[in-house]
Amino acid sequence: MGADSPTSSVPTIAADHPGVAELFAVLAYGEISAFYRLADDARMAPTLQGKVALASMAAAEMSHFEILQKALTDRGVETYAAMAPFVRAFDAYHASTDPSTWLESLVKAYVGDGIAADFYREIAHSLDPAVGEIVREVLAEVGHSEFVVQEVRAAVAVSKTEKDRLMLWGRRLLGEAITQAQFVLAQREDLTDLVMNATGSLNGVAALFDNMQAKHAERMAVLGLV
Amino acid sequence: MGADSPTSSVPTIAADHPGVAELFAVLAYGEISAFYRLADDARMAPTLQGKVALASMAAAEMSHFEILQKALTDRGVETYAAMAPFVRAFDAYHASTDPSTWLESLVKAYVGDGIAADFYREIAHSLDPAVGEIVREVLAEVGHSEFVVQEVRAAVAVSKTEKDRLMLWGRRLLGEAITQAQFVLAQREDLTDLVMNATGSLNGVAALFDNMQAKHAERMAVLGLV
C-alpha cells in the first residue's frame, strides 16, 4: 500500500502509541453504528433481495466489530468505555444523513462506508504492521456492494431527477462525514497526534481530506453519479 | 448425534430428496427473519452492551443465511423463489410474539432460536451426511447467548412478578412456534415427506414435538425460569 501513498511506507507509529486504542475504539463504534443504520434502512427495501443485501452488509460490520473488540481487550482496554467518546459524532452523522428513500439508503451504505474506509486506509500504512493489519482487515470489502451498484446505476440511468438528487445526497454525505471526523480530531488528542504522525503534518491532514474527496468522486462515478 | 437419537443414525433421506431444498429454504428465510427481529428488538436495549449482544446474534444469522444460499444455488435452486412459501409463517410467528420489554426480547432471542434448532436437529441425523452437515453448521451455537442468560437470570432472581410473566411468555413462544411449524408442514408436501421419513412415522412427528417441549423446558431452566 505504501508504494503509491503520499508518505513513506515505513511504519512511523509505534504499536503502543496511545492513539492506537482510540483508533480501534472509533472504528469499533463506527461498526456498531453502521450495523443499526443498515438494519434500519433495510425497512425501505422494496424487495427481499434488497433487505438481504443490507442485512449482509450489516452482518459484516459486526464481524469487524468483534475483531476490534478483541484487539482492544488484548491491550487491556475496555471496549465500551473506549467507544463512549465517539458515540456523539457517529450519532450526529447518522441523524444528519437519515435517508428518506431506498436509493438514498443504498448510496449512503456504499459511499458512507467508502469515505470511512478511505480515511483509515490513508493512515494505515504509517501504523505498526500488526496494528495496520487489524485496520485493513476491518476495512476489507465484503462483497455485498455489487447489488447496490446495480440498483443505483439502473435507477439513475432512467431518471435525471433521481440522478441530480443523489449527486447532491452524495455531496452531503461527504460533507457531514468530514465535519464529524474533524469534530472527533478536535476532541481526541491522542488520536489527533496519531493522524498527524501518519500524515506528516497539518498539511498532510489537509491532503488526506483532499484524497478522500477524490476517492469519493471515483465511487460516485461507479454508481453512475457523474 | 445418532447414538442418543430415537431413530437410527443411518441416514435414510437421500441428498436429492425434493424436501431438502425446502428444508434449506425454510432455514434460510428463518435466518433473515430472525436477523430483522433481533435488530429491531435491540432498540429496547438499555445499554450499548445489550445492543451489541443482539446485533452479534443477528449477524450470525446472516452468515448462516449465506451458507444456505450457497447450498441452494449449488442445487440450482433460486433462493428467493424457494423462500417465498415460508414468509407468511415466519411473519405470523414474529407478529404474534412481538416482545414488549427488553427481557421478553432476550427470552425470545434465546428460546425462540433454541426451539427452531431442536426441530432441525431432530431430523438432521436422518439426512444424507453432506446435507446434515449443512443443517448442523447453520444451527451451531454462536456464543453470544451468555449475555442473555446472565441478564435474564439476574432479573428473575429479584422479581417473582417478572419471573411469572417470562414463564408465560416462554410458553407462548413455544406454542406459537409449534403452531407455525405445523402450518408449514400442512402446506409443503415434500418437506412433510422429509420430516415423516426422518422421524419414521406420524407418531414420530408427535414424538419430535414432545422432545422439543422437553428441550424447551431445559432451556427455560437455564434462564432461571423454572
PDB file of all heavy atoms in Angstrom, chain A residues 34-35 37-45 48-61 99 102 104-107 109-110 144 147-148, chain B residues 35-36 62:
ATOM      1  N   ALA A  34     -22.998   1.611  12.154  1.00  0.00           N
ATOM      2  CA  ALA A  34     -23.360   1.250  10.778  1.00  0.00           C
ATOM      3  C   ALA A  34     -24.300   0.048  10.759  1.00  0.00           C
ATOM      4  O   ALA A  34     -25.244  -0.010   9.966  1.00  0.00           O
ATOM      5  CB  ALA A  34     -22.097   0.952   9.967  1.00  0.00           C
ATOM      6  N   PHE A  35     -24.057  -0.905  11.647  1.00  0.00           N
ATOM      7  CA  PHE A  35     -24.945  -2.078  11.716  1.00  0.00           C
ATOM      8  C   PHE A  35     -26.386  -1.630  11.870  1.00  0.00           C
ATOM      9  O   PHE A  35     -27.275  -2.043  11.120  1.00  0.00           O
ATOM     10  CB  PHE A  35     -24.563  -2.986  12.902  1.00  0.00           C
ATOM     11  CG  PHE A  35     -25.539  -4.120  13.097  1.00  0.00           C
ATOM     12  CD1 PHE A  35     -25.322  -5.335  12.472  1.00  0.00           C
ATOM     13  CD2 PHE A  35     -26.687  -3.956  13.869  1.00  0.00           C
ATOM     14  CE1 PHE A  35     -26.242  -6.377  12.610  1.00  0.00           C
ATOM     15  CE2 PHE A  35     -27.604  -4.988  14.016  1.00  0.00           C
ATOM     16  CZ  PHE A  35     -27.380  -6.202  13.382  1.00  0.00           C
ATOM     17  N   ARG A  37     -27.770   1.296  11.448  1.00  0.00           N
ATOM     18  CA  ARG A  37     -28.317   2.132  10.377  1.00  0.00           C
ATOM     19  C   ARG A  37     -28.701   1.284   9.183  1.00  0.00           C
ATOM     20  O   ARG A  37     -29.751   1.498   8.567  1.00  0.00           O
ATOM     21  CB  ARG A  37     -27.308   3.200   9.948  1.00  0.00           C
ATOM     22  CG  ARG A  37     -27.039   4.214  10.999  1.00  0.00           C
ATOM     23  CD  ARG A  37     -28.292   4.811  11.557  1.00  0.00           C
ATOM     24  NE  ARG A  37     -29.111   5.453  10.525  1.00  0.00           N
ATOM     25  CZ  ARG A  37     -30.111   6.274  10.753  1.00  0.00           C
ATOM     26  NH1 ARG A  37     -30.450   6.558  11.999  1.00  0.00           N
ATOM     27  NH2 ARG A  37     -30.791   6.801   9.767  1.00  0.00           N
ATOM     28  N   LEU A  38     -27.871   0.316   8.840  1.00  0.00           N
ATOM     29  CA  LEU A  38     -28.176  -0.546   7.693  1.00  0.00           C
ATOM     30  C   LEU A  38     -29.432  -1.374   7.977  1.00  0.00           C
ATOM     31  O   LEU A  38     -30.309  -1.508   7.123  1.00  0.00           O
ATOM     32  CB  LEU A  38     -26.992  -1.463   7.386  1.00  0.00           C
ATOM     33  CG  LEU A  38     -25.777  -0.765   6.778  1.00  0.00           C
ATOM     34  CD1 LEU A  38     -24.548  -1.666   6.844  1.00  0.00           C
ATOM     35  CD2 LEU A  38     -26.039  -0.359   5.328  1.00  0.00           C
ATOM     36  N   ALA A  39     -29.508  -1.917   9.188  1.00  0.00           N
ATOM     37  CA  ALA A  39     -30.682  -2.733   9.539  1.00  0.00           C
ATOM     38  C   ALA A  39     -31.951  -1.876   9.490  1.00  0.00           C
ATOM     39  O   ALA A  39     -32.999  -2.325   9.029  1.00  0.00           O
ATOM     40  CB  ALA A  39     -30.495  -3.367  10.915  1.00  0.00           C
ATOM     41  N   ASP A  40     -31.833  -0.636   9.951  1.00  0.00           N
ATOM     42  CA  ASP A  40     -32.968   0.289   9.921  1.00  0.00           C
ATOM     43  C   ASP A  40     -33.365   0.643   8.500  1.00  0.00           C
ATOM     44  O   ASP A  40     -34.540   0.604   8.138  1.00  0.00           O
ATOM     45  CB  ASP A  40     -32.563   1.611  10.588  1.00  0.00           C
ATOM     46  CG  ASP A  40     -33.048   1.687  12.009  1.00  0.00           C
ATOM     47  OD1 ASP A  40     -33.441   0.640  12.550  1.00  0.00           O
ATOM     48  OD2 ASP A  40     -33.007   2.789  12.583  1.00  0.00           O
ATOM     49  N   ASP A  41     -32.359   1.005   7.710  1.00  0.00           N
ATOM     50  CA  ASP A  41     -32.630   1.464   6.358  1.00  0.00           C
ATOM     51  C   ASP A  41     -33.236   0.355   5.503  1.00  0.00           C
ATOM     52  O   ASP A  41     -33.976   0.631   4.552  1.00  0.00           O
ATOM     53  CB  ASP A  41     -31.340   1.970   5.692  1.00  0.00           C
ATOM     54  CG  ASP A  41     -30.854   3.269   6.338  1.00  0.00           C
ATOM     55  OD1 ASP A  41     -31.591   3.848   7.157  1.00  0.00           O
ATOM     56  OD2 ASP A  41     -29.740   3.697   6.014  1.00  0.00           O
ATOM     57  N   ALA A  42     -32.938  -0.882   5.858  1.00  0.00           N
ATOM     58  CA  ALA A  42     -33.460  -2.012   5.093  1.00  0.00           C
ATOM     59  C   ALA A  42     -34.988  -2.063   5.100  1.00  0.00           C
ATOM     60  O   ALA A  42     -35.606  -2.698   4.243  1.00  0.00           O
ATOM     61  CB  ALA A  42     -32.885  -3.316   5.631  1.00  0.00           C
ATOM     62  N   ARG A  43     -35.599  -1.375   6.066  1.00  0.00           N
ATOM     63  CA  ARG A  43     -37.070  -1.298   6.096  1.00  0.00           C
ATOM     64  C   ARG A  43     -37.642  -0.771   4.792  1.00  0.00           C
ATOM     65  O   ARG A  43     -38.764  -1.074   4.421  1.00  0.00           O
ATOM     66  CB  ARG A  43     -37.522  -0.298   7.156  1.00  0.00           C
ATOM     67  CG  ARG A  43     -37.485  -0.814   8.521  1.00  0.00           C
ATOM     68  CD  ARG A  43     -37.508   0.369   9.489  1.00  0.00           C
ATOM     69  NE  ARG A  43     -36.934  -0.076  10.729  1.00  0.00           N
ATOM     70  CZ  ARG A  43     -37.592  -0.806  11.602  1.00  0.00           C
ATOM     71  NH1 ARG A  43     -38.839  -1.130  11.399  1.00  0.00           N
ATOM     72  NH2 ARG A  43     -37.012  -1.220  12.697  1.00  0.00           N
ATOM     73  N   MET A  44     -36.879   0.093   4.152  1.00  0.00           N
ATOM     74  CA  MET A  44     -37.378   0.722   2.927  1.00  0.00           C
ATOM     75  C   MET A  44     -37.189  -0.167   1.707  1.00  0.00           C
ATOM     76  O   MET A  44     -37.621   0.186   0.614  1.00  0.00           O
ATOM     77  CB  MET A  44     -36.688   2.068   2.715  1.00  0.00           C
ATOM     78  CG  MET A  44     -37.180   3.139   3.672  1.00  0.00           C
ATOM     79  SD  MET A  44     -36.475   4.786   3.302  1.00  0.00           S
ATOM     80  CE  MET A  44     -34.865   4.648   4.079  1.00  0.00           C
ATOM     81  N   ALA A  45     -36.521  -1.299   1.879  1.00  0.00           N
ATOM     82  CA  ALA A  45     -36.225  -2.163   0.726  1.00  0.00           C
ATOM     83  C   ALA A  45     -37.517  -2.616   0.049  1.00  0.00           C
ATOM     84  O   ALA A  45     -38.414  -3.127   0.707  1.00  0.00           O
ATOM     85  CB  ALA A  45     -35.425  -3.386   1.178  1.00  0.00           C
ATOM     86  N   LEU A  48     -37.146  -8.478  -1.068  1.00  0.00           N
ATOM     87  CA  LEU A  48     -36.419  -9.262  -0.074  1.00  0.00           C
ATOM     88  C   LEU A  48     -34.925  -9.283  -0.395  1.00  0.00           C
ATOM     89  O   LEU A  48     -34.086  -9.249   0.505  1.00  0.00           O
ATOM     90  CB  LEU A  48     -36.996 -10.688  -0.030  1.00  0.00           C
ATOM     91  CG  LEU A  48     -36.528 -11.597   1.103  1.00  0.00           C
ATOM     92  CD1 LEU A  48     -36.670 -10.943   2.473  1.00  0.00           C
ATOM     93  CD2 LEU A  48     -37.297 -12.920   1.086  1.00  0.00           C
ATOM     94  N   GLN A  49     -34.597  -9.281  -1.700  1.00  0.00           N
ATOM     95  CA  GLN A  49     -33.185  -9.230  -2.104  1.00  0.00           C
ATOM     96  C   GLN A  49     -32.504  -7.978  -1.537  1.00  0.00           C
ATOM     97  O   GLN A  49     -31.359  -8.035  -1.083  1.00  0.00           O
ATOM     98  CB  GLN A  49     -33.041  -9.197  -3.635  1.00  0.00           C
ATOM     99  CG  GLN A  49     -33.247 -10.526  -4.320  1.00  0.00           C
ATOM    100  CD  GLN A  49     -34.703 -10.786  -4.685  1.00  0.00           C
ATOM    101  OE1 GLN A  49     -35.621 -10.332  -3.973  1.00  0.00           O
ATOM    102  NE2 GLN A  49     -34.932 -11.500  -5.754  1.00  0.00           N
ATOM    103  N   GLY A  50     -33.209  -6.880  -1.597  1.00  0.00           N
ATOM    104  CA  GLY A  50     -32.669  -5.625  -1.080  1.00  0.00           C
ATOM    105  C   GLY A  50     -32.452  -5.694   0.423  1.00  0.00           C
ATOM    106  O   GLY A  50     -31.430  -5.249   0.949  1.00  0.00           O
ATOM    107  N   LYS A  51     -33.439  -6.267   1.120  1.00  0.00           N
ATOM    108  CA  LYS A  51     -33.315  -6.425   2.574  1.00  0.00           C
ATOM    109  C   LYS A  51     -32.091  -7.272   2.914  1.00  0.00           C
ATOM    110  O   LYS A  51     -31.348  -6.972   3.837  1.00  0.00           O
ATOM    111  CB  LYS A  51     -34.555  -7.146   3.137  1.00  0.00           C
ATOM    112  CG  LYS A  51     -35.705  -6.250   3.499  1.00  0.00           C
ATOM    113  CD  LYS A  51     -36.827  -7.062   4.140  1.00  0.00           C
ATOM    114  CE  LYS A  51     -36.833  -6.885   5.641  1.00  0.00           C
ATOM    115  NZ  LYS A  51     -38.072  -6.266   6.137  1.00  0.00           N
ATOM    116  N   VAL A  52     -31.929  -8.358   2.157  1.00  0.00           N
ATOM    117  CA  VAL A  52     -30.816  -9.272   2.424  1.00  0.00           C
ATOM    118  C   VAL A  52     -29.476  -8.595   2.136  1.00  0.00           C
ATOM    119  O   VAL A  52     -28.515  -8.759   2.887  1.00  0.00           O
ATOM    120  CB  VAL A  52     -30.973 -10.573   1.612  1.00  0.00           C
ATOM    121  CG1 VAL A  52     -29.701 -11.401   1.659  1.00  0.00           C
ATOM    122  CG2 VAL A  52     -32.151 -11.376   2.151  1.00  0.00           C
ATOM    123  N   ALA A  53     -29.426  -7.811   1.061  1.00  0.00           N
ATOM    124  CA  ALA A  53     -28.168  -7.122   0.725  1.00  0.00           C
ATOM    125  C   ALA A  53     -27.732  -6.226   1.884  1.00  0.00           C
ATOM    126  O   ALA A  53     -26.568  -6.255   2.299  1.00  0.00           O
ATOM    127  CB  ALA A  53     -28.331  -6.308  -0.557  1.00  0.00           C
ATOM    128  N   LEU A  54     -28.669  -5.457   2.424  1.00  0.00           N
ATOM    129  CA  LEU A  54     -28.307  -4.572   3.527  1.00  0.00           C
ATOM    130  C   LEU A  54     -28.015  -5.356   4.809  1.00  0.00           C
ATOM    131  O   LEU A  54     -27.097  -5.011   5.561  1.00  0.00           O
ATOM    132  CB  LEU A  54     -29.382  -3.501   3.758  1.00  0.00           C
ATOM    133  CG  LEU A  54     -29.008  -2.136   3.144  1.00  0.00           C
ATOM    134  CD1 LEU A  54     -28.748  -2.232   1.662  1.00  0.00           C
ATOM    135  CD2 LEU A  54     -30.008  -1.065   3.476  1.00  0.00           C
ATOM    136  N   ALA A  55     -28.776  -6.424   5.034  1.00  0.00           N
ATOM    137  CA  ALA A  55     -28.523  -7.258   6.223  1.00  0.00           C
ATOM    138  C   ALA A  55     -27.125  -7.871   6.157  1.00  0.00           C
ATOM    139  O   ALA A  55     -26.422  -7.956   7.170  1.00  0.00           O
ATOM    140  CB  ALA A  55     -29.582  -8.348   6.348  1.00  0.00           C
ATOM    141  N   SER A  56     -26.704  -8.292   4.965  1.00  0.00           N
ATOM    142  CA  SER A  56     -25.374  -8.893   4.826  1.00  0.00           C
ATOM    143  C   SER A  56     -24.284  -7.862   5.082  1.00  0.00           C
ATOM    144  O   SER A  56     -23.252  -8.166   5.700  1.00  0.00           O
ATOM    145  CB  SER A  56     -25.192  -9.486   3.434  1.00  0.00           C
ATOM    146  OG  SER A  56     -26.091 -10.551   3.243  1.00  0.00           O
ATOM    147  N   MET A  57     -24.511  -6.642   4.595  1.00  0.00           N
ATOM    148  CA  MET A  57     -23.535  -5.588   4.862  1.00  0.00           C
ATOM    149  C   MET A  57     -23.486  -5.304   6.369  1.00  0.00           C
ATOM    150  O   MET A  57     -22.414  -5.127   6.943  1.00  0.00           O
ATOM    151  CB  MET A  57     -23.888  -4.322   4.079  1.00  0.00           C
ATOM    152  CG  MET A  57     -23.733  -4.487   2.560  1.00  0.00           C
ATOM    153  SD  MET A  57     -24.390  -3.063   1.593  1.00  0.00           S
ATOM    154  CE  MET A  57     -22.946  -2.002   1.524  1.00  0.00           C
ATOM    155  N   ALA A  58     -24.653  -5.283   6.988  1.00  0.00           N
ATOM    156  CA  ALA A  58     -24.714  -5.035   8.434  1.00  0.00           C
ATOM    157  C   ALA A  58     -23.979  -6.137   9.201  1.00  0.00           C
ATOM    158  O   ALA A  58     -23.219  -5.861  10.132  1.00  0.00           O
ATOM    159  CB  ALA A  58     -26.175  -4.958   8.891  1.00  0.00           C
ATOM    160  N   ALA A  59     -24.189  -7.378   8.792  1.00  0.00           N
ATOM    161  CA  ALA A  59     -23.562  -8.507   9.484  1.00  0.00           C
ATOM    162  C   ALA A  59     -22.035  -8.418   9.395  1.00  0.00           C
ATOM    163  O   ALA A  59     -21.328  -8.720  10.356  1.00  0.00           O
ATOM    164  CB  ALA A  59     -24.062  -9.826   8.914  1.00  0.00           C
ATOM    165  N   ALA A  60     -21.546  -7.987   8.233  1.00  0.00           N
ATOM    166  CA  ALA A  60     -20.097  -7.852   8.064  1.00  0.00           C
ATOM    167  C   ALA A  60     -19.542  -6.827   9.050  1.00  0.00           C
ATOM    168  O   ALA A  60     -18.441  -6.998   9.600  1.00  0.00           O
ATOM    169  CB  ALA A  60     -19.763  -7.455   6.632  1.00  0.00           C
ATOM    170  N   GLU A  61     -20.310  -5.764   9.315  1.00  0.00           N
ATOM    171  CA  GLU A  61     -19.860  -4.758  10.285  1.00  0.00           C
ATOM    172  C   GLU A  61     -19.652  -5.399  11.658  1.00  0.00           C
ATOM    173  O   GLU A  61     -18.700  -5.079  12.368  1.00  0.00           O
ATOM    174  CB  GLU A  61     -20.887  -3.620  10.434  1.00  0.00           C
ATOM    175  CG  GLU A  61     -21.402  -3.007   9.151  1.00  0.00           C
ATOM    176  CD  GLU A  61     -20.469  -1.966   8.537  1.00  0.00           C
ATOM    177  OE1 GLU A  61     -19.418  -1.681   9.123  1.00  0.00           O
ATOM    178  OE2 GLU A  61     -20.805  -1.451   7.452  1.00  0.00           O
ATOM    179  N   PRO A  99     -31.580   8.699   5.520  1.00  0.00           N
ATOM    180  CA  PRO A  99     -32.097   8.571   4.147  1.00  0.00           C
ATOM    181  C   PRO A  99     -33.634   8.620   4.133  1.00  0.00           C
ATOM    182  O   PRO A  99     -34.270   8.053   5.015  1.00  0.00           O
ATOM    183  CB  PRO A  99     -31.637   7.173   3.714  1.00  0.00           C
ATOM    184  CG  PRO A  99     -30.612   6.750   4.703  1.00  0.00           C
ATOM    185  CD  PRO A  99     -30.944   7.455   5.978  1.00  0.00           C
ATOM    186  N   TRP A 102     -35.200   4.647  -0.524  1.00  0.00           N
ATOM    187  CA  TRP A 102     -34.394   3.428  -0.632  1.00  0.00           C
ATOM    188  C   TRP A 102     -33.090   3.712  -1.366  1.00  0.00           C
ATOM    189  O   TRP A 102     -32.021   3.250  -0.954  1.00  0.00           O
ATOM    190  CB  TRP A 102     -35.229   2.355  -1.325  1.00  0.00           C
ATOM    191  CG  TRP A 102     -34.509   1.093  -1.688  1.00  0.00           C
ATOM    192  CD1 TRP A 102     -34.409   0.540  -2.932  1.00  0.00           C
ATOM    193  CD2 TRP A 102     -33.825   0.195  -0.809  1.00  0.00           C
ATOM    194  NE1 TRP A 102     -33.694  -0.631  -2.877  1.00  0.00           N
ATOM    195  CE2 TRP A 102     -33.316  -0.863  -1.591  1.00  0.00           C
ATOM    196  CE3 TRP A 102     -33.571   0.193   0.566  1.00  0.00           C
ATOM    197  CZ2 TRP A 102     -32.584  -1.915  -1.055  1.00  0.00           C
ATOM    198  CZ3 TRP A 102     -32.827  -0.862   1.109  1.00  0.00           C
ATOM    199  CH2 TRP A 102     -32.354  -1.888   0.299  1.00  0.00           C
ATOM    200  N   GLU A 104     -31.464   6.524  -1.543  1.00  0.00           N
ATOM    201  CA  GLU A 104     -30.577   7.270  -0.636  1.00  0.00           C
ATOM    202  C   GLU A 104     -29.903   6.316   0.355  1.00  0.00           C
ATOM    203  O   GLU A 104     -28.718   6.475   0.671  1.00  0.00           O
ATOM    204  CB  GLU A 104     -31.357   8.353   0.119  1.00  0.00           C
ATOM    205  CG  GLU A 104     -31.671   9.570  -0.757  1.00  0.00           C
ATOM    206  CD  GLU A 104     -32.349  10.710   0.000  1.00  0.00           C
ATOM    207  OE1 GLU A 104     -32.546  10.593   1.230  1.00  0.00           O
ATOM    208  OE2 GLU A 104     -32.683  11.719  -0.637  1.00  0.00           O
ATOM    209  N   SER A 105     -30.654   5.330   0.827  1.00  0.00           N
ATOM    210  CA  SER A 105     -30.065   4.326   1.729  1.00  0.00           C
ATOM    211  C   SER A 105     -28.916   3.594   1.056  1.00  0.00           C
ATOM    212  O   SER A 105     -27.867   3.360   1.666  1.00  0.00           O
ATOM    213  CB  SER A 105     -31.083   3.255   2.108  1.00  0.00           C
ATOM    214  OG  SER A 105     -32.112   3.793   2.854  1.00  0.00           O
ATOM    215  N   LEU A 106     -29.152   3.202  -0.182  1.00  0.00           N
ATOM    216  CA  LEU A 106     -28.123   2.440  -0.896  1.00  0.00           C
ATOM    217  C   LEU A 106     -26.877   3.287  -1.126  1.00  0.00           C
ATOM    218  O   LEU A 106     -25.751   2.821  -0.926  1.00  0.00           O
ATOM    219  CB  LEU A 106     -28.672   1.938  -2.234  1.00  0.00           C
ATOM    220  CG  LEU A 106     -29.767   0.871  -2.154  1.00  0.00           C
ATOM    221  CD1 LEU A 106     -30.211   0.465  -3.560  1.00  0.00           C
ATOM    222  CD2 LEU A 106     -29.292  -0.362  -1.389  1.00  0.00           C
ATOM    223  N   VAL A 107     -27.083   4.521  -1.551  1.00  0.00           N
ATOM    224  CA  VAL A 107     -25.928   5.400  -1.785  1.00  0.00           C
ATOM    225  C   VAL A 107     -25.173   5.618  -0.471  1.00  0.00           C
ATOM    226  O   VAL A 107     -23.945   5.571  -0.433  1.00  0.00           O
ATOM    227  CB  VAL A 107     -26.374   6.737  -2.416  1.00  0.00           C
ATOM    228  CG1 VAL A 107     -25.214   7.730  -2.458  1.00  0.00           C
ATOM    229  CG2 VAL A 107     -26.918   6.499  -3.820  1.00  0.00           C
ATOM    230  N   ALA A 109     -25.067   3.594   2.140  1.00  0.00           N
ATOM    231  CA  ALA A 109     -24.385   2.354   2.531  1.00  0.00           C
ATOM    232  C   ALA A 109     -23.063   2.227   1.783  1.00  0.00           C
ATOM    233  O   ALA A 109     -22.035   1.874   2.351  1.00  0.00           O
ATOM    234  CB  ALA A 109     -25.277   1.153   2.249  1.00  0.00           C
ATOM    235  N   TYR A 110     -23.104   2.564   0.499  1.00  0.00           N
ATOM    236  CA  TYR A 110     -21.929   2.368  -0.354  1.00  0.00           C
ATOM    237  C   TYR A 110     -20.901   3.481  -0.160  1.00  0.00           C
ATOM    238  O   TYR A 110     -19.718   3.221   0.091  1.00  0.00           O
ATOM    239  CB  TYR A 110     -22.396   2.330  -1.803  1.00  0.00           C
ATOM    240  CG  TYR A 110     -21.314   2.002  -2.809  1.00  0.00           C
ATOM    241  CD1 TYR A 110     -20.912   0.689  -3.012  1.00  0.00           C
ATOM    242  CD2 TYR A 110     -20.716   2.999  -3.568  1.00  0.00           C
ATOM    243  CE1 TYR A 110     -19.938   0.379  -3.946  1.00  0.00           C
ATOM    244  CE2 TYR A 110     -19.740   2.700  -4.500  1.00  0.00           C
ATOM    245  CZ  TYR A 110     -19.348   1.387  -4.685  1.00  0.00           C
ATOM    246  OH  TYR A 110     -18.382   1.085  -5.610  1.00  0.00           O
ATOM    247  N   HIS A 144     -20.733  -7.334  -0.836  1.00  0.00           N
ATOM    248  CA  HIS A 144     -22.186  -7.278  -0.992  1.00  0.00           C
ATOM    249  C   HIS A 144     -22.593  -6.009  -1.723  1.00  0.00           C
ATOM    250  O   HIS A 144     -23.751  -5.667  -1.778  1.00  0.00           O
ATOM    251  CB  HIS A 144     -22.875  -7.322   0.365  1.00  0.00           C
ATOM    252  CG  HIS A 144     -22.541  -8.552   1.129  1.00  0.00           C
ATOM    253  ND1 HIS A 144     -23.013  -9.789   0.759  1.00  0.00           N
ATOM    254  CD2 HIS A 144     -21.761  -8.750   2.210  1.00  0.00           C
ATOM    255  CE1 HIS A 144     -22.542 -10.698   1.602  1.00  0.00           C
ATOM    256  NE2 HIS A 144     -21.775 -10.094   2.477  1.00  0.00           N
ATOM    257  N   PHE A 147     -24.726  -5.419  -5.522  1.00  0.00           N
ATOM    258  CA  PHE A 147     -26.170  -5.194  -5.532  1.00  0.00           C
ATOM    259  C   PHE A 147     -26.482  -3.697  -5.529  1.00  0.00           C
ATOM    260  O   PHE A 147     -27.290  -3.206  -6.313  1.00  0.00           O
ATOM    261  CB  PHE A 147     -26.811  -5.872  -4.321  1.00  0.00           C
ATOM    262  CG  PHE A 147     -28.282  -5.576  -4.165  1.00  0.00           C
ATOM    263  CD1 PHE A 147     -29.227  -6.336  -4.828  1.00  0.00           C
ATOM    264  CD2 PHE A 147     -28.707  -4.508  -3.378  1.00  0.00           C
ATOM    265  CE1 PHE A 147     -30.579  -6.045  -4.709  1.00  0.00           C
ATOM    266  CE2 PHE A 147     -30.062  -4.208  -3.258  1.00  0.00           C
ATOM    267  CZ  PHE A 147     -30.990  -4.989  -3.920  1.00  0.00           C
ATOM    268  N   VAL A 148     -25.794  -2.983  -4.648  1.00  0.00           N
ATOM    269  CA  VAL A 148     -26.008  -1.538  -4.524  1.00  0.00           C
ATOM    270  C   VAL A 148     -25.662  -0.848  -5.839  1.00  0.00           C
ATOM    271  O   VAL A 148     -26.433  -0.026  -6.354  1.00  0.00           O
ATOM    272  CB  VAL A 148     -25.138  -0.961  -3.376  1.00  0.00           C
ATOM    273  CG1 VAL A 148     -25.252   0.554  -3.338  1.00  0.00           C
ATOM    274  CG2 VAL A 148     -25.534  -1.573  -2.041  1.00  0.00           C
TER     275      VAL A 148
ATOM    276  N   PHE B  35     -32.826 -12.241  11.822  1.00  0.00           N
ATOM    277  CA  PHE B  35     -31.937 -11.085  11.746  1.00  0.00           C
ATOM    278  C   PHE B  35     -32.705  -9.800  12.033  1.00  0.00           C
ATOM    279  O   PHE B  35     -32.325  -8.999  12.888  1.00  0.00           O
ATOM    280  CB  PHE B  35     -31.278 -10.983  10.364  1.00  0.00           C
ATOM    281  CG  PHE B  35     -30.459  -9.721  10.189  1.00  0.00           C
ATOM    282  CD1 PHE B  35     -29.112  -9.717  10.483  1.00  0.00           C
ATOM    283  CD2 PHE B  35     -31.051  -8.537   9.765  1.00  0.00           C
ATOM    284  CE1 PHE B  35     -28.361  -8.551  10.360  1.00  0.00           C
ATOM    285  CE2 PHE B  35     -30.317  -7.364   9.645  1.00  0.00           C
ATOM    286  CZ  PHE B  35     -28.964  -7.374   9.935  1.00  0.00           C
ATOM    287  N   TYR B  36     -33.798  -9.609  11.296  1.00  0.00           N
ATOM    288  CA  TYR B  36     -34.516  -8.341  11.428  1.00  0.00           C
ATOM    289  C   TYR B  36     -35.244  -8.207  12.754  1.00  0.00           C
ATOM    290  O   TYR B  36     -35.380  -7.116  13.286  1.00  0.00           O
ATOM    291  CB  TYR B  36     -35.423  -8.107  10.223  1.00  0.00           C
ATOM    292  CG  TYR B  36     -34.588  -7.583   9.078  1.00  0.00           C
ATOM    293  CD1 TYR B  36     -34.263  -8.379   8.000  1.00  0.00           C
ATOM    294  CD2 TYR B  36     -34.060  -6.306   9.133  1.00  0.00           C
ATOM    295  CE1 TYR B  36     -33.441  -7.905   6.976  1.00  0.00           C
ATOM    296  CE2 TYR B  36     -33.241  -5.818   8.125  1.00  0.00           C
ATOM    297  CZ  TYR B  36     -32.939  -6.622   7.053  1.00  0.00           C
ATOM    298  OH  TYR B  36     -32.120  -6.152   6.064  1.00  0.00           O
ATOM    299  N   MET B  62     -27.061 -14.061   9.628  1.00  0.00           N
ATOM    300  CA  MET B  62     -26.771 -13.773   8.217  1.00  0.00           C
ATOM    301  C   MET B  62     -25.656 -14.648   7.670  1.00  0.00           C
ATOM    302  O   MET B  62     -25.678 -15.016   6.495  1.00  0.00           O
ATOM    303  CB  MET B  62     -26.442 -12.294   8.019  1.00  0.00           C
ATOM    304  CG  MET B  62     -27.632 -11.381   8.111  1.00  0.00           C
ATOM    305  SD  MET B  62     -29.109 -11.941   7.193  1.00  0.00           S
ATOM    306  CE  MET B  62     -28.560 -11.792   5.500  1.00  0.00           C
TER     307      MET B  62
END
